[in-house]
Amino acid sequence: MIADLRPYPEYKDSGVPWLGRVPTHWDMVRTKNLFHERNVRGYPDEPLLAATQTKGVVRKEEYENRTVLAIKDLQNLKLVLVGDFVISLRSFQGGIEYARHQGIISPAYTVLYPAKKENHGYFAILFKSRFFIEGLKLYVTGIRQGQNIDYVKLSRSLIPFPPPREQKAIETFVLDFDQRCRRLMRNRRRLIEVLNEQKQAIINQAVTRGLDPNVPLKPSGIDWLGDIPEHWEVRRLRHMASVRLSSVDKLIAKGERPVRLCNYVDVYHNNFITENIDFMQGTASDPEIEAFKLRKGDVLITKDSEEWQDIAVSAYVPESLQDVVCGYHLAVIRPREEVINGEYLARAFSAESIAVQFRLAAKGVTRYGLTQEAIKGAFFLVPPLKEQLEIVISIRDQCNQIQAAVLKAQREIDLIREYRTRLIADVVTGKLDVRGWQGEAPRLEEEESELLELGEEEELELDTDEAGEMAAAELRE
């Protein structure tokens, strides 16, 4: 499919720095001649829309309540029709968004509609392509959070305009190629899900039943824990470790000492807290540093979260970290070494029969949180120390092998993303000729879904390891 693509026979200078050369027979047309601005208001009963970089222009209720709901002056919101394009406050980062829903949107946005409707498919791809987004930086005004696209300047800019039949050929090719890429990435993601489930099963088995499948069992005395090895104990955390809820915020305060902050995301995305993490810079008072600096053997957990299932996610600190303190929304659990091993305790937190206690104890409506007493009062299964170490080593060995497979699959996904982004940009800007490509357009419902999400993937460095090359080879077939 891809190997047969070649450049066009002849090129000319487009006169646009971000675009470079274009096929000789392509026109370069000013944006204002291809699009008109729609500035219609007074439709308060239309559904509210949100302009997103991942899904295009969608209804707010479809965007998982991540946007602020407008409840006043609905008559001042701008009308958006199906097939319109919306320049949002973040278009300089993610391109111009295509609308597949009718509704109303923020008056701060610019709404455009194509002079000829048959061109909308090509422009929906062009406006989300890497080269075009890079070119939008020429029309940005303001600084930092106040940045926006100056449409007056953008309207005078030149954009490529292939012949209509060629636009359709580009659109059909891109939709088909995009589907192939997504199918490959979806398969890799499914593999990662299976591998992670396997890893979780290993941990669950090890910290609730141990490593000996034939060990005699006894009732734990607690319904949700069930039977446990007969030589294990059930103890509350308060008898095995100290628990401190961090009060160190992200503010830089005068009179405090500079520190590095271990924050919620650092714990959520890492099993181990090490120097390899890029910690945030912050400040803390001397008492806070003494109370919350990270020491070898510490276990950190998320004590607050927007999702109840993300409560009490744990990470282990294998070595003391200089000037790193535990940040807000986290708790520091410091095990008594003569009773429980820190790495074993961190693994035990992720076992379903243990984690359920924290989910049930979490309080809140829009955000959930654990009290110190709720953490201290949780029950844990406690093998002898020697067996704890054996369990830790076994989990580590098995999970390392699985994690290597996960990373390999993720590298393949990264390569496919980058390959897709580069090829689509080359095709839509005329660097590759798809006029002779033979293929079929995706079914309508798939086409709409895929075109909506063409710009969703972030920019990534090209990975050229063996796994990545295998993924690229599949695309070339």
Side-chain angles (χ1 to χ4, degrees):
M1 172 186 178
I2 308 303
D4 296 335
L5 296 183
R6 297 289 183 271
Y8 284 82
E10 296 181 352
Y11 285 87
K12 65 182 178 181
D13 184 12
S14 67
V16 178
W18 62 265
L19 185 57
R21 300 192 309 157
V22 295
T24 303
H25 65 285
W26 283 24
D27 292 328
M28 294 298 299
V29 183
R30 296 196 183 279
T31 303
K32 64 181 180 181
N33 294 329
L34 295 173
F35 294 90
H36 305 305
E37 185 173 358
R38 189 187 306 282
N39 193 3
V40 178
R41 311 183 191 214
Y43 289 82
D45 296 328
E46 289 286 340
L48 294 164
L49 302 178
T52 75
Q53 292 182 20
T54 58
K55 300 293 184 182
V57 180
V58 298
R59 293 186 177 184
K60 277 186 178 286
E61 63 265 25
E62 296 177 7
Y63 200 52
E64 301 179 3
N65 297 320
R66 297 178 191 173
T67 55
V68 177
L69 185 66
I71 57 175
K72 296 181 179 180
D73 301 323
L74 295 181
Q75 66 274 11
N76 290 330
L77 301 189
K78 290 184 178 180
L79 179 67
V80 177
L81 301 182
V82 174
D84 286 354
F85 292 88
V86 173
I87 302 177
S88 73
L89 299 180
R90 286 291 176 262
S91 283
F92 66 92
Q93 295 175 329
I96 299 175
E97 310 303 339
Y98 181 71
R100 292 189 175 273
H101 298 276
Q102 178 171 317
I104 51 178
I105 204 163
S106 168
Y109 295 169
T110 301
V111 181
L112 305 175
Y113 64 95
K116 296 183 177 180
K117 291 184 178 180
E118 58 268 24
N119 298 328
H120 77 270
Y122 170 77
F123 287 117
I125 300 169
L126 176 68
F127 289 163
K128 297 293 290 184
S129 68
R130 171 187 292 183
F131 294 138
F132 182 81
I133 294 172
E134 186 68 24
L136 283 177
K137 294 178 182 178
L138 299 173
Y139 311 106
V140 172
T141 62
I143 58 175
R144 295 182 182 178
Q145 297 300 319
Q147 289 183 321
N148 197 4
I149 301 293
D150 185 336
Y151 180 65
V152 174
K153 292 181 180 179
L154 179 62
S155 69
R156 303 190 190 110
S157 67
L158 295 171
I159 55 177
F161 190 74
R165 290 184 63 181
E166 204 162 330
Q167 291 182 33
K168 189 62 180 177
I170 290 171
E171 179 185 354
T172 302
F173 171 86
V174 166
L175 290 171
D176 181 77
F177 174 68
D178 185 65
Q179 266 194 12
R180 292 170 184 253
C181 290
R182 291 180 184 278
R183 191 174 302 120
L184 286 173
M185 290 190 288
R186 187 163 53 246
N187 290 340
R188 268 60 173 186
R189 290 191 184 103
R190 286 172 180 165
L191 173 60
I192 291 174
E193 289 177 2
V194 170
L195 290 170
N196 284 331
E197 288 173 1
Q198 181 182 352
K199 182 166 62 175
Q200 187 59 50
I202 290 171
I203 296 172
N204 285 340
Q205 176 68 22
V207 301
T208 58
R209 292 295 177 89
L211 304 178
D212 181 1
N214 300 314
V215 64
L217 303 177
K218 68 179 181 182
S220 67
I222 300 173
D223 291 342
W224 66 85
L225 291 178
D227 292 339
I228 64 173
E230 65 177 6
H231 62 291
W232 287 21
E233 299 180 43
V234 178
R235 292 192 181 186
R236 290 187 186 271
L237 187 60
R238 71 171 72 253
H239 302 306
M240 301 184 295
S242 65
V243 178
R244 297 178 181 178
L245 308 186
S246 177
S247 59
V248 183
D249 59 34
K250 298 180 181 180
L251 300 177
I252 304 293
K254 291 183 179 180
E256 293 185 340
R257 289 166 55 188
V259 295
R260 291 181 294 165
L261 294 177
C262 179
N263 288 315
Y264 179 99
V265 293
D266 301 321
V267 171
Y268 188 83
H269 292 294
N270 296 282
N271 290 322
F272 298 93
I273 303 300
T274 68
E275 285 286 358
N276 295 329
I277 297 174
D278 185 17
F279 296 108
M280 173 185 286
Q281 298 297 316
T283 62
S285 66
D286 287 340
E288 287 175 330
I289 294 173
E290 180 60 29
F292 301 114
K293 63 183 178 182
L294 300 190
R295 300 176 183 175
K296 180 179 179 179
D298 283 351
V299 177
L300 307 182
I301 66 167
T302 57
K303 70 177 181 67
D304 303 303
S305 182
E306 294 179 357
E307 303 290 341
W308 68 273
Q309 63 266 31
D310 293 335
I311 288 291
V313 174
S314 63
Y316 176 64
V317 182
E319 297 292 340
S320 297
L321 299 177
Q322 189 70 24
D323 75 358
V324 179
V325 301
C326 177
Y328 198 57
H329 299 307
L330 299 175
V332 179
I333 299 170
R334 190 152 292 158
R336 290 167 49 196
E337 295 180 354
E338 72 277 11
V339 178
I340 193 163
N341 175 271
E343 187 172 348
Y344 172 83
L345 179 61
R347 294 296 192 182
F349 265 98
S350 64
E352 185 61 32
S353 56
I354 303 298
V356 68
Q357 301 174 81
F358 300 105
R359 296 169 185 168
L360 294 175
K363 305 296 182 182
V365 179
T366 59
R367 188 173 190 89
Y368 302 90
L370 289 170
T371 65
Q372 189 177 46
E373 284 303 309
I375 300 172
K376 287 182 175 181
F379 290 101
F380 283 80
L381 304 182
V382 187
L385 268 176
K386 180 182 177 182
E387 190 172 352
Q388 291 179 35
L389 293 175
E390 292 171 351
I391 290 172
V392 162
I393 293 171
S394 176
I395 290 175
R396 194 186 302 160
D397 290 344
Q398 294 182 74
C399 288
N400 283 347
Q401 296 178 36
I402 295 174
Q403 188 61 23
V406 169
L407 292 175
K408 179 181 177 181
Q410 186 59 55
R411 285 195 297 268
E412 292 183 18
I413 292 173
D414 293 345
L415 174 68
I416 296 168
R417 279 183 182 146
E418 178 64 20
Y419 193 48
R420 182 191 70 164
T421 300
R422 290 186 179 188
L423 189 70
I424 289 176
D426 285 344
V427 168
V428 79
T429 56
K431 306 299 185 291
L432 292 173
D433 186 354
V434 298
R435 290 176 296 179
W437 174 75
Q438 299 294 323
E440 297 181 1
R443 295 195 305 270
L444 180 60
E445 63 271 18
E446 293 179 348
E447 175 181 338
E448 293 181 352
S449 163
E450 299 296 343
L451 186 60
L452 186 66
E453 301 176 4
L454 278 178
E456 79 170 285
E457 309 296 356
E458 66 266 48
E459 302 296 330
L460 297 166
E461 291 299 318
L462 184 63
D463 191 307
T464 56
D465 68 358
E466 180 181 1
E469 291 298 341
M470 290 171 58
E474 289 186 48
L475 288 171
R476 296 189 187 103
E477 293 179 355

